[in-house]
Amino acid sequence: MKAESKKTRKRVRVAPFITILFFLIMGIVGIMTGEVGRVLEQAVQVCLSCIGIG
Amino acid sequence: MEIVRKWIQTIMAFLVNGSWSFPFTRTIYQGPLKVICSPGLNCYSCPASTTYCPIGTLQQLLAGIRITLENGQNFFGLYVIGTMGILGGAFGRLICGWVCPFGLIQELLHKIPSKKFSIPRKLHYIKYGFLLFFVILLPLTVVDAFGYGQLWFCKYVCPAGTLEAGLPMLMLQPALGQTIGPLFYNKISILVGFVIWSILASRPFCRTACPLGAFYALFKKLKLVKLRLVEENCTRCEACHAVCPMGVKFNESPEDAECISCLKCMDKACKFDAITLEIAGLPLGSKGRAGRTHGAKQGNAVM
C-alpha cells in the first residue's frame, strides 16, 4: 500500500520554474539597461513601412 | 469549455486593443501601457492597441542594435525576450489558443461554411524559418548605409499588421493612400491569401507562418501548463484527432509543438479521461466523467 502510494505520487516538474526564472532574470537585466524606455519609444510611433504603407 | 475559451479570447482581444479614442485622435494609442507585452500576435501600430507586439519590437531592437551600441546603450532585446520567455515557459502555445487575437480571427473565418482542407505537416516548419531569418537574422545582418536593418517580417509578411494596422490607418488618415505602393499590394495579397486559407483550413497562419507561435512552440517540453496523455486510459479510438484545430494526433504525440491546449480533445472528444490538464506535473483536472475509467474502456473494447 505504502509502495503503491509512493508510485502514484505525482512529481512536480522543476524545469518550467527554472525556465521562467531564467527569462525573468533576463527581463530584469533588460529593465536595468533601460530597454523599457526604448520599447515604449518604438511602440508609440506608427511604423508605416511595417504595416505596408510608405 | 469552448464557450469559456471564446469569451477569454474575446476579452483578451479587447484588453490588448483597449484604446478606443482613435476615431477622434486619428492615430494610435501612445500611453505608458505600451511597455506591456501583448501575449499574442497583435500589431502595435493598430490604432486601438494598448500593448507592444513582441515580434515587431524585437525586430526593431535588432534592426537598430548597431546604432544603440554606438550610443552606449546595451539594448539587446533582453526585456522583450525575457517577457516572451516567461509567457512561453508558463503557457507555451496555450496563448495561441486562448489569448491571440489573430488566432480568434482565423477561428471565426473558419466557421464560414465551405469545403474544408487539411494542412500538410511539412508546412509547419516554415514558421521556424520566419522566426530565425525574418525576425532575427535578417534584421540583424542586412543593414543600410546608416547601420539600420529592416523589420523583415512586419514589412514583407505579417498579415496581422495589414489587417489590424495598415487598413485602419488608411481609413483614419486617407492622405496615407498617396504613399501606397508595391509593398502594400504585396501585404494585401498575403492577407487575402490567409483570409481565404483560414476559411478553407483551420488556423493556417498559426500553423505555417507565425513566428510568435514558433517561439512558444520551443517550450513544448518546458511549459508549466500542458495537456497530458493518461496512457492506461487511452483506447486509441482517435477521437482526439478529429477535433484538433491544429491537426495534432494527441494520443500519438502528446507533446506536439502544434498543441495550443484549446482542450477540445479533452473536453469534446475523449470519453475515457485519457487526457488531463496539468500544472508543473500535477494534474489540474480532466473532464472527469464518472464511471468512464479503465473499466469502461475495457467494456467499450469488448463491444
Side-chain angles (χ1 to χ4, degrees):
Chain A
M1 189 76 173
K2 202 172 180 180
E4 192 183 333
S5 92
K6 265 185 185 172
K7 194 180 171 185
T8 54
R9 189 182 297 158
K10 304 294 177 189
R11 293 185 66 184
V12 175
R13 289 189 299 121
V14 181
F17 297 104
I18 295 170
T19 308
I20 292 169
L21 183 67
F22 172 78
F23 283 103
L24 182 67
I25 292 167
M26 189 184 275
I28 290 169
V29 173
I31 291 169
M32 288 166 68
T33 56
E35 203 177 280
V36 179
R38 179 72 182 135
V39 168
L40 184 63
E41 203 176 283
Q42 291 171 344
V44 297
Q45 290 172 9
V46 182
C47 177
L48 291 176
S49 67
C50 309
I51 58 177
I53 305 169
Chain B
M1 187 59 82
E2 185 61 10
I3 293 171
V4 174
R5 191 174 72 89
K6 277 282 178 289
W7 269 106
I8 292 175
Q9 282 179 303
T10 309
I11 290 166
M12 285 306 297
F14 278 101
L15 274 179
V16 295
N17 293 294
S19 173
W20 289 84
S21 59
F22 62 85
F24 309 103
T25 61
R26 298 202 164 267
T27 188
I28 64 171
Y29 167 76
Q30 294 174 320
L33 288 176
K34 277 210 160 163
V35 295
I36 299 171
C37 177
S38 167
L41 197 74
N42 191 71
C43 185
Y44 58 51
S45 289
C46 169
S49 176
T50 41
T51 52
Y52 74 82
C53 171
I55 292 297
T57 306
L58 184 60
Q59 285 172 87
Q60 280 211 336
L61 287 170
L62 296 178
I65 200 164
R66 285 172 178 76
I67 310 300
T68 51
L69 283 176
E70 276 175 20
N71 293 336
Q73 299 163 314
N74 299 315
F75 300 154
F76 301 109
L78 295 182
Y79 172 63
V80 180
I81 297 170
T83 314
M84 289 164 73
I86 292 168
L87 290 166
F91 304 108
R93 292 198 75 181
L94 183 143
I95 290 163
C96 309
W98 289 74
V99 175
C100 180
F102 203 62
L104 174 64
I105 291 167
Q106 289 171 87
E107 282 185 10
L108 296 177
L109 286 169
H110 195 59
K111 287 188 184 296
I112 296 172
S114 73
K115 193 172 167 31
K116 304 299 179 189
F117 297 88
S118 61
I119 296 174
R121 184 92 187 159
K122 281 179 184 171
L123 297 183
H124 294 184
Y125 297 106
I126 296 172
K127 61 178 173 290
Y128 298 101
F130 278 132
L131 175 64
L132 182 63
F133 292 102
F134 279 59
V135 175
I136 299 170
L137 293 181
L138 290 172
L140 201 57
T141 55
V142 182
V143 293
D144 62 18
F146 304 102
Y148 279 110
Q150 291 185 41
L151 285 72
W152 285 72
F153 187 77
C154 296
K155 192 170 179 177
Y156 298 109
V157 182
C158 188
T162 315
L163 181 68
E164 296 167 1
L167 294 174
M169 286 308 293
L170 273 177
M171 283 187 260
L172 291 173
Q173 298 180 17
L176 289 175
Q178 294 167 355
T179 61
I180 283 178
L183 192 62
F184 183 74
Y185 296 120
N186 166 59
K187 288 204 60 173
I188 281 286
S189 309
I190 291 172
L191 172 63
V192 170
F194 273 112
V195 166
I196 295 169
W197 200 5
S198 298
I199 296 169
L200 301 174
S202 177
R203 287 180 169 257
F205 180 75
C206 308
R207 290 160 78 176
T208 65
C210 182
L212 189 56
F215 179 81
Y216 289 146
L218 301 175
F219 296 85
K220 65 176 183 175
K221 288 185 187 295
L222 297 170
K223 62 187 174 182
L224 195 66
V225 183
K226 63 197 291 192
L227 285 174
R228 188 170 71 89
L229 179 71
V230 184
E231 292 270 7
E232 59 269 26
N233 286 357
C234 182
T235 63
R236 317 282 186 270
C237 68
E238 299 185 356
C240 52
H241 298 194
V243 295
C244 182
M246 299 294 280
V248 173
K249 296 176 177 175
F250 189 79
N251 69 320
E252 292 173 14
S253 58
E255 288 195 331
D256 198 299
E258 295 301 305
C259 177
I260 56 171
S261 303
C262 66
L263 308 186
K264 278 185 182 173
C265 54
M266 185 182 101
D267 190 48
K268 274 188 175 176
C270 186
K271 294 180 168 61
F272 306 104
D273 278 353
I275 303 171
T276 61
L277 189 65
E278 65 166 41
I279 296 180
L282 303 174
L284 186 67
S286 63
K287 192 170 49 184
R289 291 186 183 174
R292 301 282 182 103
T293 53
H294 190 60
K297 180 188 85 173
Q298 286 174 330
N300 188 53
V302 171
M303 283 168 75

